[in-house]
Amino acid sequence: MKLCSPATSVGWTAVPPEITFPLSSSSSYFFSRELKSTSPPLSQVENRLVISHRNGSSFIVKQSSNPTASEEREGSPAREEPTFKDNRIGDKGVGYTLDEALSTIGFGNFQFIVLAYAGLGWVAEAMEMMLLSFVGPTLQPEWGLSSGEESFISTIAFAGMLVGAYMWGAISDIYGRKTGFLGASIITTGAGILSAFAPNYTSFLILRCFIGVGLGCGHVFTSWFLEFVPTPKRGTWMVVFATFWTVGTIIEASLAWSIMPNFGWRWLLGLSAVPSLLLILFYGLVPESPRYLCTKGRLIETRNILEKGAKLNQKELPIGMLVSNQINEADNEHHSLKTNDSQKSLSSISMLLSSKLIRTTLPLWFLYFGNTFSYYGIVLLTSQLSISHTECGVLALQSETIQDSSLYANVFITSFAELPGLGLAAIILDKLGRKISMEVLFLAGFLLLLPLVVHQNETITTTFLFGARMFVSASFIVACIYAPEVYPTNIRATGVGIATAIGRTGGMVCPLVAVGLVNSCNQTLAVMLFEAMILLSGLSVVLLPFETKGRELIDDIN
C-alpha cells in the first residue's frame, strides 16, 4: 500500500509527499477495518482512495505491488518504511492514539462540562447518604421505631449500594458508562421522590433499598470522568472532582437545617432527589467515554467526540487518523461478539483474580473495606454525637428532639473538615504519588485519633475527631482515584464496583459495632477498633504492587 498526499501543511505538521507501507496482513487488516468508515466517507479517485480530508488537504491510499521499484522509477531516495506496532500506524505521525489526542487537546471547557456532570452525580449520592443523619431520628418517635429499626434504615441503604456497586459496574463495562449512570439516576430519582410519600416503615425501607441500588453507581462517575482527563495533573483534577462529595454533604446539612424544622422530613426527601433528576435532564448533553468506545472498536464515534472536545478547548487534534491499541484480529473479534453478557461479567471477575491482577485486587479490596469502615465510623462520631458528657464519661448519642438545631450545626460544621484534607491531597498527590500520599494521610489520621483512646475533654475530643475525619476522608478520596487508574478500561467499572461493594460492607458493619460500643460506654474500645482498621488499611497500601502516578491508563489486561 502507498500513502501519499500533496506536499502541504495541515495545522502545524508538514505532511510528507509519500509514505509507503509494506503489503502485510496487519496493514491489510487495518485498512479494511479502520479506513472503510472514515468521515467523510472514502471516495475513489482514479486508482487512489481518499481516506482523510481536513483543512483542504487529503491523505491518499493507492495500490502498489512493488513500492520500492515505484520509488526508484520516480527517483525517490530509499527511506525506512513505517512499521505496525501494536496494531497502530508507526512513528510518522499518520496515526495517533487516544492518549495522544487527550494530551493534545488538554484540559479545557470540554472536560469542565464532564466534570460538572460527574460532580453532580457525586453531589446526589452525598445528599442521599447524609439525609439519613436527620431522617432516622425523626422517624423514630413519629412511627414508634426501636433503636434497631432506626439503625436498619442505614443498613438497608448500604445493602442496596453493595448490590448496585457491582451491578452498575458490570453494566457500564458491557453497555457503556452512560447506560450505567442513566439507569441508576432513574432508579434513584423515582425511589427518592416516592420515599417522600411512604405511608409506613416497611414501604420506606423498600424504597431506601432501591435508592441504595441507584447510589451504588457513584464509582462509575469517577471512572467516566477519569477517562477524559489527560495524564499530566490527573491526580489534581481527580481531587477537584472529589470535592463535589463534600459540597453535597454541606448542601444537605444546609437544606435540612432550613427545611426540617418548618416543613418536616418528607419535603427534605423530595428536595434531596433533585440532583438525581437533573442528571436525567442533562443526560443528552454529555458524551460517552471515548476510552470505552475505543476498547469496543467504535473509533468513528470516538473521533467525533474528540473533534467536539478539541473545538470546545480551541485546540487541534493530531494529524492523521485515530487508531486503537485494542484492535484484535478479526476472528477474535467475531468470537467476542458471540459472548453473552453473563459470560463477559464472569470473565471480568476471573480477570480480577488472575495472576496478573490478584496482587492488586486483594489489597485493594481490604483497603476499601478498612477505609470505608474508618471513614463512616468517624463521620458517625462527629455528626451524631452531642457535646455533653454522660455519667459514664464518654460522648453520648444525641437522642433528644431533632428540632434542636445543634444537630444541624454539628453536621454542617464537621462537613467542612474534609476540605483541608482534600487540599492537602491535591498538593501531594502528583508529587509524592498515590501510595505515599495514602500512607501519609493514614498516619496523620491514626495519630489524631490516638489521644482519644483515653477520655478527653469536650474541646480536645471534638478537635481530634475533626482532624481525623479530615485525613481519613482524604485517604478515602485518594483510594477512589487509585482504583480506576490501576484497572484496565475493559474491566475498570467492574473492578472498582466490586471494590466499592466490599467497602460498603464496612459501612454496614461499622454502625452496628461502633455505635454499640459507644452506647455501652466503651469509647476506648471503639477508638482502638478504628485505629486497628487504619493500620491495616495502611498495610494494604504497602502491599499494592505499583504506583499509578504519571502512568497512562491501560485498556486491556495484556
Side-chain angles (χ1 to χ4, degrees):
M1 302 286 290
K2 178 178 288 187
L3 186 66
C4 45
S5 70
T8 184
S9 178
V10 182
W12 54 269
T13 303
V15 179
E18 280 191 342
I19 296 178
T20 301
F21 290 91
L23 284 172
S24 63
S25 60
S26 59
S27 61
S28 300
Y29 172 70
F30 177 81
F31 284 114
S32 65
R33 172 184 169 86
E34 300 302 334
L35 305 185
K36 65 184 179 181
S37 56
T38 53
S39 178
L42 295 173
S43 59
Q44 188 76 25
V45 182
E46 296 178 353
N47 66 333
R48 296 170 299 171
L49 196 61
V50 181
I51 61 174
S52 179
H53 181 81
R54 186 157 72 93
N55 295 346
S57 298
S58 299
F59 294 100
I60 308 297
V61 171
K62 74 176 182 178
Q63 190 77 26
S64 174
S65 58
N66 189 353
T68 305
S70 175
E71 284 190 4
E72 290 173 354
R73 287 194 300 270
E74 295 170 6
S76 302
R79 291 193 300 269
E80 181 181 355
E81 294 178 341
T83 58
F84 285 81
K85 298 179 180 179
D86 297 328
N87 290 325
R88 53 172 292 192
I89 302 178
D91 302 324
K92 299 296 184 180
V94 179
Y96 60 88
T97 64
L98 176 60
D99 286 306
E100 292 167 346
L102 290 174
S103 296
T104 300
I105 68 175
F107 197 102
N109 295 331
F110 180 52
Q111 283 82 2
F112 281 122
I113 294 173
V114 177
L115 173 63
Y117 190 86
L120 183 62
W122 263 38
V123 168
E125 180 180 357
M127 290 178 65
E128 290 288 353
M129 290 302 299
M130 287 302 298
L131 68 81
L132 297 175
S133 299
F134 310 106
V135 173
T138 303
L139 291 180
Q140 184 176 15
E142 182 174 331
W143 285 350
L145 305 179
S146 65
S147 59
E149 289 174 326
E150 179 192 348
S151 300
F152 196 64
I153 296 175
S154 298
T155 302
I156 198 68
F158 276 109
M161 294 176 74
L162 189 153
V163 174
Y166 170 72
M167 182 180 74
W168 297 120
I171 289 174
S172 298
D173 278 337
I174 297 172
Y175 299 106
R177 313 307 192 220
K178 288 187 65 177
T179 302
F181 54 65
L182 175 63
S185 299
I186 292 174
I187 291 176
T188 304
T189 303
I193 294 175
L194 289 175
S195 65
F197 301 95
N200 51 53
Y201 176 70
T202 302
S203 61
F204 186 80
L205 282 182
I206 294 173
L207 290 169
R208 295 313 299 181
C209 182
F210 274 105
I211 291 173
V213 172
L215 297 180
C217 189
H219 66 90
V220 178
F221 289 101
T222 307
S223 298
W224 178 67
F225 174 65
L226 178 74
E227 291 168 350
F228 285 90
V229 182
T231 302
K233 299 296 182 181
R234 187 173 62 210
T236 300
W237 281 111
M238 292 304 296
V239 173
V240 172
F241 164 72
T243 60
F244 282 91
W245 174 275
T246 304
V247 171
T249 62
I250 295 172
I251 291 175
E252 186 64 24
S254 304
L255 193 64
W257 202 344
S258 59
I259 294 296
M260 288 279 286
N262 300 317
F263 300 99
W265 60 273
R266 294 185 185 274
W267 276 95
L268 179 64
L269 264 63
L271 292 174
S272 297
V274 170
S276 297
L277 177 61
L278 293 177
L279 289 172
I280 300 174
L281 296 178
F282 293 114
Y283 170 79
L285 301 180
V286 294
E288 179 56 271
S289 164
R291 193 171 296 274
Y292 164 79
L293 294 174
C294 257
T295 62
K296 300 300 181 181
R298 295 157 62 179
L299 298 187
I300 304 304
E301 296 174 63
T302 307
R303 167 88 185 198
N304 291 337
I305 291 173
L306 292 174
E307 287 177 344
K308 294 178 182 177
K311 184 177 180 180
L312 284 170
N313 290 357
Q314 298 181 344
K315 296 292 181 67
E316 289 285 346
L317 288 174
I319 298 302
M321 296 170 299
L322 174 67
V323 293
S324 172
N325 291 330
Q326 289 299 303
I327 302 173
N328 300 317
E329 295 299 326
D331 55 345
N332 290 339
E333 180 185 12
H334 179 70
H335 174 74
S336 67
L337 293 175
K338 296 181 179 180
T339 306
N340 60 40
D341 298 338
S342 61
Q343 289 174 324
K344 290 179 182 178
S345 180
L346 292 175
S347 175
S348 297
I349 297 175
S350 65
M351 282 191 284
L352 292 173
L353 297 176
S354 67
S355 59
K356 294 183 178 181
L357 287 179
I358 192 168
R359 291 181 59 241
T360 297
T361 297
L362 294 182
L364 197 61
W365 283 357
F366 192 87
L367 171 62
Y368 262 68
F369 178 89
N371 211 337
T372 305
F373 186 96
S374 304
Y375 171 74
Y376 281 109
I378 295 174
V379 168
L380 182 67
L381 292 174
T382 56
S383 65
Q384 293 189 0
L385 298 181
S386 65
I387 314 177
S388 61
H389 287 74
T390 65
E391 63 278 1
C392 58
V394 296
L395 297 178
L397 283 172
Q398 180 173 357
S399 58
E400 293 84 9
T401 174
I402 192 68
Q403 304 299 328
D404 186 354
S405 62
S406 64
L407 176 60
Y408 306 115
N410 193 25
V411 175
F412 181 81
I413 294 172
T414 53
S415 295
F416 283 94
E418 299 179 11
L419 293 177
L422 290 171
L424 176 62
I427 293 172
I428 67 176
L429 193 60
D430 282 323
K431 294 181 179 179
L432 302 181
R434 282 52 164 158
K435 292 182 61 176
I436 296 179
S437 296
M438 282 189 280
E439 294 288 4
V440 169
L441 295 169
F442 276 132
L443 178 61
F446 177 87
L447 294 176
L448 284 170
L449 269 186
L450 193 59
L452 300 185
V453 173
V454 180
H455 298 164
Q456 306 291 338
N457 63 44
E458 298 172 11
T459 302
I460 293 177
T461 299
T462 303
T463 301
F464 282 134
L465 285 175
F466 188 95
R469 176 173 177 175
M470 176 178 72
F471 290 110
V472 172
S473 65
S475 67
F476 192 18
I477 292 302
V478 178
C480 291
I481 294 171
Y482 179 88
E485 286 182 330
V486 80
Y487 282 127
T489 302
N490 60 337
I491 58 170
R492 178 169 295 125
T494 301
V496 179
I498 294 177
T500 303
I502 292 174
R504 298 304 182 191
T505 62
M508 293 171 61
V509 173
C510 177
L512 301 177
V513 176
V515 175
L517 290 174
V518 173
N519 282 334
S520 302
C521 300
N522 286 317
Q523 177 183 339
T524 297
L525 189 56
V527 173
M528 290 178 63
L529 179 62
F530 291 136
E531 293 283 61
M533 279 297 177
I534 292 175
L535 281 178
L536 292 174
S537 298
L539 177 61
S540 66
V541 174
V542 174
L543 296 176
L544 289 169
F546 61 87
E547 174 60 57
T548 59
K549 170 192 171 185
R551 291 171 57 110
E552 291 185 350
L553 299 179
I554 56 176
D555 292 330
D556 187 83
I557 190 175
N558 295 317

